[in-house]
Amino acid sequence: QVQLVESGGGLVQPGGSLRLSCAASGFTFSTYAMSWYRQAPGKERELVAEIRSIDGRINYADSVKGRFTISRDNAKNTVYLQMNSLKPEDTAVYYCNARNLFNRYWGQGTQVTVSS
């Protein structure tokens, strides 16, 4: 059974940091591209960051470049999102995603709220 379990969300003040984790099971983690998406109230889900499986290439949304860092630990089947210099507009539910040519899996999401 495929599972993606996010953790690390919460309430943080503007300028603060959070580290999200996504623990994966039920599939060959190292062969999947892993990414983080987010969805704010009333908005569409958007890609935040992605790290590929083959070459480790990383892509970020322009809105988070220089503030967020995605990484993966294939030995632990876990992908991380380090979020620094958080802004109120980063408030959203953050979802972990795994994909390859044939499959796409989603986690249940974790809430991140940036507010003073």
Side-chain angles (χ1 to χ4, degrees), residues 28-90:
T28 308
F29 178 83
S30 61
T31 66
Y32 279 66
M34 299 299 299
S35 55
W36 289 94
Y37 284 74
R38 67 185 181 187
Q39 187 166 19
K43 294 188 177 182
E44 293 187 354
R45 191 172 297 190
E46 63 174 355
L47 177 66
V48 175
E50 180 180 66
I51 182 166
R52 295 186 182 179
S53 59
I54 297 177
D55 56 8
R57 184 174 179 177
I58 292 173
N59 294 305
Y60 294 102
D62 288 343
S63 59
V64 306
K65 282 181 181 177
R67 300 188 298 122
F68 291 11
T69 302
I70 188 171
S71 61
R72 65 189 297 162
D73 185 336
N74 289 339
K76 295 183 178 179
N77 288 357
T78 301
V79 62
Y80 305 96
L81 185 68
Q82 177 67 44
M83 305 186 294
N84 299 329
S85 302
L86 282 161
K87 304 176 181 180
E89 51 263 44
D90 295 317

Side-chain angles (χ1 to χ4, degrees), residues 6-12 18-21 83 92 94 110-113:
E6 300 101 332
S7 61
L11 174 64
V12 63
L18 282 175
R19 188 194 196 201
L20 304 183
S21 299
M83 305 186 294
Y94 283 71
T110 185
Q111 177 69 47
V112 171
T113 302

